[in-house]
Amino acid sequence: MRYRHTVGAETYQFRDLKDLLAKASPARSGDYLAGVAASSYAERMAAKMCLAEVPLKRFLEEHLIPYAEDEVTRLIVDTHDPVAFSEVSHLTVGDFRDWLLSDAADTAALSRIARGLTPEMVAAVSKLMRNQDLILVAGKCRVVTAFRDTIGLPGRLSVRLQPNHPTDDVRGIAASIIDGLLYGAGDAVIGINPATDSIPALIDLYYLVDEFIRTFHIPTQSCILTHVTNQIQVMEKGAPVDLVFQSIAGTEKANRGFGISLAILQEAYEAALALQRGTVGQNVMYFETGQGSALSADANFGVDQQTCEARAYAVARHYSPLLTNTVVGFIGPEYLYDGKQIIRAGLEDHFCGKLLGLPLGCDVCYTNHAEADQDDMDNLMTLLANAGLTFIMGIPGADDIMLNYQSTSFHDSLYLRQLLGLKPAPEFEQWLAEMEITRDGRPRSIDPTHPLLAQGLRLPRAA
């Protein structure tokens, strides 16, 4: 179906809904690279005005990627909840924006409609929104998950403690874990990106983090961010697996590039559930996404990168994850050129994920060849924290020495919590106080005889 909009004496035509969504997207380098972006500001504004008039129902009728050719499309269609959708089914995209910004769209209403929204609907409405609109609406969403602690409660900001090491040295990892815990990081997950895919080495890492958690009775969960098929193998071998991780994308072809399918994710999900390792909940999955992943795999099928990203959230949502985060600036300037584009993308991703009912966090990051710096990341993480971000990354010095990119530090999460009065997950907050790591909610000076320092570096059995 063709779409058109007239501005003054000029009529702009868009060949289909996919083209309209792409042309309405805020400018970003990835869409220019893909050849789908608007050719001028005037065309972009005409596309936005045309998109505002499209009924939300149209997205159930016109699929961006054919149902018969893509299992992500089939998942989106087959799991759509018409009852949840009925509350907003009469609206156009523009009307939906107005409703989201109104008092009628409170936390309860947004929770009711989440399963009735498709990724394409939320991507579409985000394209009509200013940054402040994305922040305001996301701040009204509430998504709560649990495993050994409870993530996403009001007034809370969790932190993934990311103790990566370029050679998987267990003492180096242990030192980073201790450092992060002393700054109050780690309530989202202690998650390691391993340098190796060796199954015995991965099992050693699982036991290392599990020993920390058990020895100090930490109400958190571990995750080793290796390929999902490796995690299935280590579960079969009896390793102490808490969360199952996988990077995912918004099309079947892009997911094949990651070496996965929905069937593989389902197998891993069921295996992790069967372990019953959670204490306050059983959300057992952890997903990472990022704008540009489908295009970088030549698997976007002419869909703009932000809409592809939103489609990945439908995959994540299907498995009720404890955590999902966009690694917003990790791929590089080919997809998000500078600080402005990274900031916009981070706000879009958080808004779309939360509106779809996901516990959305963000790796606020950039590569060293992007036109961005740490001040841009300060801006983005401050905006996201005000928008109700579920969790942020905690990396020693904000410099990931294994993956070679710039992210956020233990100090950054401390800044956000102090600035905005945010707290860790309640179970973790209590543990920090009991361990005398915090006093009145703030980190305190630690004596060298503190158990974490006195015992922690002796824990790694593979040292």
Side-chain angles (χ1 to χ4, degrees), residues 70-80 114-115 117-120 122 248-251 255 262 265 287 289 307-321 324 352-353 355-358 360:
D70 185 88
E71 68 174 1
V72 176
T73 298
R74 293 194 291 275
L75 177 69
I76 292 167
V77 174
D78 295 346
T79 60
H80 179 254
R115 290 283 173 173
L117 301 177
T118 70
E120 293 84 358
V122 300
I248 56 173
T251 72
N255 283 326
L262 299 184
L265 293 179
F287 295 112
T289 66
T307 302
C308 281
E309 170 73 2
R311 284 170 56 93
Y313 301 156
V315 176
R317 180 172 66 175
H318 188 59
Y319 302 100
S320 303
T324 302
C352 289
L355 205 53
L356 289 168
L358 272 185
L360 220 291

Side-chain angles (χ1 to χ4, degrees), residues 405-419:
Y405 74 108
Q406 308 305 308
S407 185
T408 46
S409 70
F410 304 139
H411 301 78
D412 291 330
S413 57
L414 191 62
Y415 146 74
L416 291 173
R417 284 173 173 169
Q418 290 185 355
L419 175 70

Side-chain angles (χ1 to χ4, degrees), residues 99-368:
W99 181 83
L100 288 171
L101 293 169
S102 74
D103 291 340
D106 58 14
T107 298
L110 293 173
S111 296
R112 285 196 306 271
I113 69 168
R115 290 283 173 173
L117 301 177
T118 70
E120 293 84 358
M121 292 175 192
V122 300
V125 76
S126 76
K127 298 176 193 301
L128 306 184
M129 292 182 139
R130 294 169 58 185
N131 286 1
Q132 66 173 245
D133 300 336
L134 299 173
I135 294 167
L136 178 63
V137 175
K140 295 193 288 185
C141 296
R142 185 67 54 216
V143 183
V144 179
T145 58
F147 190 76
R148 289 202 190 94
D149 57 358
T150 308
I151 308 296
L153 292 168
R156 308 277 173 172
L157 175 67
S158 293
V159 184
R160 170 186 161 189
L161 202 172
Q162 188 169 316
N164 296 346
H165 192 280
T167 64
D168 290 340
D169 178 80
V170 292
R171 288 182 65 82
I173 290 171
S176 292
I177 291 174
I178 294 168
D179 190 20
L181 292 171
L182 293 177
Y183 277 101
D187 55 330
V189 63
I190 301 175
I192 302 169
N193 295 90
T196 179
D197 283 332
S198 159
I199 297 300
L202 293 173
I203 290 175
D204 282 346
L205 293 179
Y206 277 108
Y207 276 107
L208 165 63
V209 184
D210 185 64
E211 194 168 3
F212 260 97
I213 290 172
R214 288 188 297 103
T215 298
F216 298 109
H217 308 288
I218 310 172
T220 191
Q221 36 283 327
S222 69
C223 186
I224 309 302
L225 283 70
T226 185
H227 194 269
V228 66
T229 54
N230 291 335
Q231 293 166 85
I232 292 172
Q233 287 188 60
V234 299
M235 282 190 281
E236 291 172 347
K237 294 180 180 298
V241 176
D242 291 340
L243 304 185
V244 169
F245 165 82
Q246 181 57 46
S247 293
I248 56 173
T251 72
E252 179 179 350
K253 183 179 178 183
N255 283 326
R256 282 204 306 270
F258 284 135
I260 62 168
S261 64
L262 299 184
I264 291 173
L265 293 179
Q266 184 68 31
E267 179 184 356
Y269 175 57
E270 293 175 0
L273 277 178
L275 298 178
Q276 293 290 302
R277 290 177 57 82
T279 55
V280 296
Q282 291 296 330
N283 296 110
V284 297
M285 303 297 281
Y286 175 21
F287 295 112
E288 284 189 342
T289 66
Q291 287 193 30
S293 58
L295 175 57
S296 68
D298 190 27
N300 66 309
F301 301 97
V303 179
D304 68 272
Q305 68 180 40
Q306 188 251 334
T307 302
C308 281
E309 170 73 2
R311 284 170 56 93
Y313 301 156
V315 176
R317 180 172 66 175
H318 188 59
Y319 302 100
S320 303
L322 179 77
L323 307 166
T324 302
N325 71 268
T326 169
V327 191
V328 67
F330 181 70
I331 301 182
E334 300 83 359
Y335 304 95
L336 295 169
Y337 179 72
D338 57 15
K340 181 176 181 178
Q341 291 188 10
I342 292 171
I343 289 169
R344 173 69 190 191
L347 295 175
E348 289 170 346
D349 294 350
H350 180 249
F351 164 87
C352 289
K354 284 292 183 64
L355 205 53
L356 289 168
L358 272 185
L360 220 291
C362 184
D363 189 344
V364 178
C365 62
Y366 65 102
T367 58
N368 287 311

